[in-house]
Amino acid sequence: MVRQEASETQAGPTLEPTRPQSVAMVGVPFDGQASYGRGPALAPRRIRQALYGGRNRMYTEAGVNLDGDPRWRDVGDLAVPDSLEAFDEITQAVECLLAQGCRVLSLGGDHSITYPLVRAFSHRYGPLQILQLDAHPDLRDQLDGNRYSHACQFARIMEEGLASRLVQVGIRFTTPDLIQQWQRFGVEVVSVSEWSCPLGFTWEGPVYMSVDIDVLDPAFAPGVSVPEPGGLTTRQALDWIQQLRGDLVGADLVEYNPGCDPAGHTAVVAAKLCKELVARLMA
Ligand code: MN
Ligand code: MN
């Protein structure tokens, strides 16, 4: 019903067309499900400023100049409402991009958007293998009565069978309830001693990568809503992106909060991760 309403309004996705077999980067300025203050809705704009604003910023570490490379395109931001109705619009818009044969990188937004994003991917590819980089499991059944919070999206994804495998890297927060959820859904939690070993994981079939920027230690990326000390270095996160052995069909970069990043340091880190994700999706 929500989907029908969305198609009848002016608020639907207004994406530029892109060419098949390319990578589409799309902003999702939505933070309606963040539990600790707003901010991530401003992230796509701020990440773009860091990405496009500096000299040599468009070169990847492998020396590829993304500026003008026809294999990818920034298709702009989705125009989504500040309510749960946004979810159906996100799914619809990403389904359109996938139907064009694109691989899709989404810039969030709070982490709740991964549920509608993965829903779109699963409609095209079937149940996905998901690699989640995050300080937090985001597997709660509900948070303060809300089942669609940015603390719950992977519970919804697993309950609905949208993923066949969930691997979590960087986790350093849990509770007895979350430990039960790990067991219930058969989640693979990568131990701290393995954080430097992305090559130890092999993947068969389409892989989706969800990067919550709070996976990084706050020393590297303080600009997040829920900082958790003891995290990955920027280098380790880049290794997980660059060294992924598998068919990466989509990714998201979420939870950057410009309101917690007055000096813009985290925007530069987010732009770097974004570039390497585009490059890995093009590979
Ligand atoms: Mn997190
Ligand atoms: Mn998260």
Side-chain angles (χ1 to χ4, degrees):
M1 190 165 68
V2 171
R3 185 170 299 182
Q4 285 170 352
E5 286 167 7
S7 65
E8 288 164 10
T9 69
Q10 298 287 321
T14 53
L15 298 178
E16 296 178 33
T18 187
R19 65 179 221 163
Q21 306 303 326
S22 61
V23 177
M25 185 178 87
V26 61
V28 185
F30 177 83
D31 58 12
Q33 294 298 323
S35 56
Y36 296 100
R38 297 297 187 97
L42 300 170
R45 191 172 58 192
R46 290 286 299 274
I47 294 172
R48 282 194 183 88
Q49 286 170 355
L51 186 63
Y52 301 138
R55 180 180 294 184
N56 295 341
R57 288 270 171 85
M58 295 303 286
Y59 281 88
T60 69
E61 290 195 343
V64 175
N65 186 3
L66 296 179
D67 189 14
D69 190 315
R71 293 174 295 170
W72 80 290
R73 185 165 182 187
D74 182 349
V75 298
D77 281 356
L78 297 185
V80 286
D82 188 33
S83 66
L84 267 185
E85 294 185 359
F87 281 14
D88 280 347
E89 297 196 15
I90 292 166
T91 299
Q92 251 183 317
V94 172
E95 279 175 344
C96 284
L97 291 169
L98 295 174
Q100 296 174 48
C102 293
R103 296 177 174 220
V104 179
L105 169 63
S106 308
L107 301 181
D110 73 54
H111 209 166
S112 70
I113 65 166
T114 299
Y115 167 56
L117 291 170
V118 165
R119 199 165 53 179
F121 279 86
S122 72
H123 291 164
R124 181 165 182 85
Y125 292 103
L128 294 151
Q129 302 172 87
I130 300 179
L131 173 59
Q132 175 192 356
L133 270 58
D134 202 330
H136 315 93
D138 294 353
L139 277 167
R140 290 179 187 274
D141 182 57
Q142 49 83 21
L143 184 67
D144 301 330
N146 179 3
R147 289 168 54 80
Y148 297 99
S149 154
H150 69 158
C152 306
Q153 71 277 10
F154 286 99
R156 304 290 85 78
I157 286 168
M158 299 309 282
E159 281 170 356
E160 294 183 21
L162 308 182
S164 58
R165 183 185 185 194
L166 177 59
V167 177
Q168 298 187 325
V169 182
I171 304 297
R172 51 199 187 274
F173 170 85
T174 196
T175 63
D177 286 357
L178 287 165
I179 291 167
Q180 279 186 0
Q181 293 287 70
W182 279 335
Q183 292 163 351
R184 176 183 169 203
F185 296 123
V187 177
E188 296 167 59
V189 182
V190 177
S191 66
V192 175
S193 63
E194 295 176 298
W195 285 0
S196 300
C197 310
L199 291 176
F201 288 81
T202 53
W203 307 84
E204 289 176 17
V207 182
Y208 182 91
M209 190 166 181
S210 184
V211 182
D212 181 330
I213 201 161
D214 71 27
V215 73
L216 297 174
D217 192 276
F220 298 94
V224 296
S225 304
V226 194
E228 188 69 41
L232 271 66
T233 65
T234 306
R235 186 75 260 151
Q236 286 173 322
L238 289 167
D239 286 347
W240 279 93
I241 295 168
Q242 294 168 343
Q243 299 177 16
L244 183 126
R245 288 178 175 168
D247 181 18
L248 188 67
V249 295
D252 60 56
L253 181 60
V254 295
E255 292 289 336
Y256 167 51
N257 188 338
C260 304
D261 187 36
H265 292 150
T266 308
V268 175
V269 175
K272 170 104 179 175
L273 297 177
C274 173
K275 255 186 332 191
E276 297 300 323
L277 282 166
V278 168
R280 182 59 189 75
L281 285 161
M282 290 192 326

